[in-house]
Structures are given as C-alpha cells and as structure tokens.
Amino acid sequence: SVHTPFSGGLRTMATLNVPELIAKKRDGHALAPAEIVDFIGRVVKREVPNEQIGAMLMAIYLKGMSAPETVALTTALQNSGEVLSWPQFPGVVVDKHSTGGVGDKISLPLAPALAACGLKVPMISGRGLGHTGGTLDKLESIPGLSVSVDVQRIGAILESVGCVIAGQTETLVPGDRILYAIRDVTSTVDSIPLITASIVSKKVAEGLNSLILDVKVGKAAFMRTMESALALGTSMVNAGNGSGVRTLGIVTRMDHPIGYMIGNALEIAESVYCLQGKGPKDLDDLVIAQGGHLLAINGTAPTAEAGKEMIRKVLSDGSALAKFEQMVAAQGASAETAKKLCQDPMSVLAVAPFKTDLLAPSNGFVTDIDALALAKTTCVMGAGRLKTTDVIDFAVGLQLHVVVGDAVKEGQPWVTVHHTKPLADEHKAAISGAVTIGNAQPPVQPRIVGLIQGSASDNAAFHPL
C-alpha cells in the first residue's frame, strides 16, 4: 500500500521565494525543514526552472548542510512520490545498501539468506556505471529474469518468497531523479548531504524497519580515505535514523576485489557458490557479518553473534539457496532455469568464447591486487558501462585464482580473463599490471573495519572492531 503526500506539504508562515532560499543557503545559513520540503515540492511539480535547481545544488555543495537539514532533505525526497508500506509484514522489513565496490556481490546471497531467516527484503537496487558493477545488471545475466517489478508484484513476491531485487519504479522518489540529472551536469555529485539524501531517501521509501549500510573505504571505493568514508557513513546513518528507520553502518575495506569473480554472469555464479556453502571466505564473512548485524538491529536476533549464527545456518543448510531459486523464478526465469542455476550456475549463464590465463611473472607472495585497475579494464572490455546507454556483455569478466597473501610460483596462472573479442594488448597489460608479487608474505587485513552506530536521538559515532 502507498500514500502520496505533497499536496503542498509544510509551509512557512511567509514562504520565501526560490531566489531568497538560494541566497540563504549561498550565504551559509541553515534552511528550515519546512523550506526544504517546500523547495522539493516545487521541484517535483516542475515549478522551479533547472537554473535555480542547479544554483541551489551548488550552494549546498559549497556550503554543506547540517544533520537536521540533511534529514529534512532525505524525508522531502522520500515523500516526493509514493512511499511503500507493509502493514501485512509488521517489524520484519529490512534492506542493505552498499556504496559500491569491485566484485561486490554481497546483496545477491544476503537477500535470500535474510528471507530464509523470516525477514522481508524489498531491495530496490541500481545499475552499474563506471567501475562499480550494478546488482541489477548481474541479475539480468540470468536468462528470463526481469528486474522491472511493479509495486503490487513486489508485495506478492515478498509474501510468497520473502525477497525481491528490482529496479527503481517511476513512482518512487521522483524528486531524486530530477536532482540527480542536474547534479550530473553541474559538477555537484560529490557532496555528502546530496549523496546521503539521494541514497537514503530511496531506501526509506521502501517502507523499511531496519537498514544496514555497507560503507566501502579504499583504493577501489567511492570514498578512498577513512576520513571521507566516515563522513559519508555517519551522514547516511544519521539520515536513516532521523527518517525513522533503524540504521547501522558497517565500514569495509575495498582495496582488493571481493571473492574471486569480477563480471556479471561470473558474479552470479560465485553468489550461488556462496549460497551452496562453498563461497570464498571473504564473501562469506561479509554476508554473515552484514546479515548478523541486520538481524540484531531489527530485534530478530538477540545479538549480532546470534544473528551471524542464523545466517551461517541458512547458508549451510540450503534454505537460503532455496529462497534464491524461488526469487529467480518469481522474477520471470523459468522454474527449470532457476533450478539448474542453483545446481550448476555456468550451465545456464553466458560463457565467454575465449579464456586467457595470465601468468605470475615471478615466485613470491601476492602483496596487492588492484581492484580499481581490474574493474576499469573489465568495464572497457564490455562488463560495465561508460555511459548509461552502453549494452553490457554478461560473459566478460575475470576469474582470480589467488588472493592477497597467497604464495605463487613463476608461470602459475593468477587470473583467467573471460572475453568475447580477442584480448587487446593494452587490456592484457592493464590486467597484468594489477597484481604485485613481493618476497615477504603481507599481513592480511580484515575486511571489516568497524561499525557506525547511532539512533534517532543520538548522533552516529564510529566504533572500530
């Protein structure tokens, strides 16, 4: 069920006109919540020309926003269209969002694992652009599966399966689509309040009880430094809690790829291996940690440790895999495809006609695998998009045979390149240059750095683990 607000929204006693609002923010003053609601209301009704929207975005970019302003912007965007609500699923509606990484397939096993624990996951996800792969693109590599799921159908799948991973519908958060298109052409994308409101408004519009945010930090993350990752993570956790959704941030390192697979079909295959209880350790650990903490903040598990145990159980006993099979079928794949996918994924997924092994240049230990370099190259080879109209080649990708810390011998394959066109020398060179082999075994850093915790009344704070 949905409600559509914005028949005017809140009003200030004497509503400022748009130039006055822009000037107020330009001069570094905080906007009142009612002013933000009023401005977004007018934007959605197309009463504000793009020049003025661009000027306001630049003022926000340059002067920033306080936590209360960011919460008000998040809520105004959330309420700019229909807001989902699930009275039939009291207290069990949850989701997760990642700020994006390489080989970041965590959502794919996590959603069915949470459903197997009795939760409902209406995951409205995004597409890939640039070096970060999109969950929707990965799912579309499954023959017959559709990520265009309307709100009624989302409810039906939540009822019968418990999880759905779909694209943004036209009716959810239209205000963000308008702002985002203008941010893109006015160089105002990299603003923490604007990023926060854009991400969190779309999540809270799903009608959630609880939300976990995977905040990536490192060379292949959107936020490369701990300082910037914590600034964004804290802002997002405050906005989620301030919008009435229990929200926890988990800060994770994103220097090296997650798991062994990078690409679309290959990452679906690795997600299935995780659901079969045969996943790579780092992927398993991240799915278990994020699921466990989400079960705990939602009150479904008494502690995060108990929550992690619940996730471990559903990954090992086949119940999460069964949920994934049901979800794939519910989203349009044939029952036969869904079943085969969950038994032997590469029997149904696109397989590249060419596979080229690249060999370790010397003996030693893998000290670094540059996830960003690998992602940029696979993107150019067809696994990603450089512009939104690009068509993805699902079969293209990389299959790593080593992780950081492994010993290698000279001439041993460290990666297999899956490609549909002959491998260009520059691509081969770029991939080869992404691995560093040293004489000493490096210390392996844990993926999980810490938690960002807060509440509706408390500002979020970082707790290292």
Side-chain angles (χ1 to χ4, degrees):
S1 62
V2 297
H3 68 85
T4 309
F6 265 145
S7 48
L10 301 166
R11 291 275 177 193
T12 37
M13 289 307 285
T15 303
L16 291 178
N17 65 33
V18 171
E20 288 169 332
L21 274 182
I22 295 167
K24 188 175 178 181
K25 180 41 73 184
R26 176 200 69 198
D27 297 341
H29 303 294
L31 301 177
E35 292 171 335
I36 294 170
V37 168
D38 184 57
F39 178 75
I40 296 298
R42 294 194 214 180
V43 165
V44 172
K45 290 185 204 146
R46 299 292 189 175
E47 291 171 6
V48 184
N50 287 355
E51 301 88 329
Q52 290 183 324
I53 300 173
M56 177 64 92
L57 292 170
M58 186 58 79
I60 293 168
Y61 182 93
L62 294 172
K63 298 296 179 177
M65 278 185 145
S66 65
E69 283 179 288
T70 306
V71 170
L73 179 60
T74 303
T75 309
L77 287 174
Q78 171 200 347
N79 290 328
S80 67
E82 67 176 347
V83 178
L84 307 185
S85 69
W86 311 105
Q88 70 274 44
F89 308 129
V92 295
V93 184
V94 303
D95 198 4
K96 74 73 83 157
H97 176 82
S98 164
T99 58
V102 178
D104 183 6
K105 54 199 74 81
I106 296 165
S107 295
L108 295 162
L110 181 59
L114 292 166
C117 294
L119 296 178
K120 303 293 183 184
V121 188
M123 190 179 287
I124 292 174
S125 194
R127 297 202 175 275
L129 193 58
H131 78 270
T132 51
T135 301
L136 300 181
D137 300 313
K138 294 168 193 176
L139 275 173
E140 283 183 337
S141 66
I142 300 169
L145 185 140
S146 169
V147 295
S148 301
V149 188
D150 65 29
V151 171
Q152 223 174 344
R153 182 79 186 123
I154 288 174
I157 298 174
L158 289 181
E159 181 71 57
S160 60
V161 179
C163 57
V164 60
I165 304 177
Q168 195 180 342
T169 68
E170 287 300 306
T171 50
L172 283 180
V173 200
D176 178 61
R177 275 200 296 283
I178 298 167
L179 292 192
Y180 196 89
I182 298 171
R183 279 167 65 201
D184 200 32
V185 295
T186 54
S187 298
T188 52
V189 171
D190 295 347
S191 154
I192 282 179
L194 295 176
I195 295 167
T196 296
S198 176
I199 290 173
V200 178
S201 63
K202 287 182 283 208
K203 287 291 157 188
V204 294
E206 295 172 359
L208 305 179
N209 301 106
S210 304
L211 171 65
I212 193 159
L213 297 166
D214 179 358
V215 182
K216 304 281 192 205
V217 61
K219 290 184 297 195
F222 182 60
M223 293 300 187
R224 296 183 178 202
T225 65
M226 202 55 194
E227 185 188 9
S228 60
L230 291 184
L232 176 61
T234 304
S235 176
M236 292 199 302
V237 171
N238 283 333
N241 283 320
S243 304
V245 175
R246 281 183 297 264
T247 307
L248 174 73
I250 184 162
V251 182
T252 63
R253 282 195 181 85
M254 189 65 249
D255 294 311
H256 317 304
I258 297 170
Y260 291 98
M261 306 289 200
I262 301 171
N264 293 281
L266 289 172
E267 290 194 42
I268 290 288
E270 190 161 60
S271 301
V272 172
Y273 302 147
C274 173
L275 289 163
Q276 291 173 340
K278 301 185 291 209
K281 185 179 185 308
D282 59 349
L283 176 59
D284 286 354
D285 288 350
L286 288 165
V287 172
I288 290 163
Q290 291 180 27
H293 281 289
L294 190 45
L295 286 162
I297 62 165
N298 197 59
T300 311
T303 63
E305 283 313 310
K308 289 177 193 175
E309 207 35 64
M310 288 170 71
I311 299 287
R312 274 190 202 99
K313 182 178 182 300
V314 299
L315 289 178
S316 61
D317 70 10
S319 53
L321 181 65
K323 287 288 183 195
F324 185 71
E325 182 180 331
Q326 291 164 18
M327 181 188 86
V328 167
Q331 287 188 227
S334 69
E336 167 99 353
T337 296
K339 186 176 179 190
K340 276 176 146 170
L341 177 76
C342 292
Q343 289 168 345
D344 175 14
M346 292 321 289
S347 70
V348 282
L349 297 168
V351 177
F354 302 111
K355 291 178 189 167
T356 303
D357 287 341
L358 301 185
L359 310 179
S362 58
N363 293 338
F365 294 93
V366 178
T367 57
D368 186 38
I369 298 175
D370 183 343
L372 184 60
L374 295 180
K376 282 182 165 171
T377 307
T378 47
C379 175
V380 175
M381 287 169 59
R385 287 188 190 83
L386 295 171
K387 51 184 191 297
T388 48
T389 50
D390 288 349
V391 177
I392 283 186
D393 186 335
F394 296 126
V396 168
L398 300 174
Q399 181 177 2
L400 297 164
H401 303 296
V402 293
V403 293
V404 171
D406 284 356
V408 289
K409 291 202 163 19
E410 183 180 345
Q412 170 191 337
W414 71 271
V415 64
T416 301
V417 185
H418 292 240
H419 50 112
T420 47
K421 297 185 184 119
L423 188 56
D425 289 345
E426 75 225 55
H427 297 156
K428 191 172 173 180
I431 296 166
S432 298
V435 70
T436 309
I437 293 168
N439 296 327
Q441 186 165 23
V444 176
Q445 294 180 308
R447 285 269 179 191
I448 298 167
V449 184
L451 302 174
I452 301 173
Q453 290 169 301
S455 69
S457 53
D458 256 354
N459 257 344
F462 176 63
H463 304 278
L465 285 177

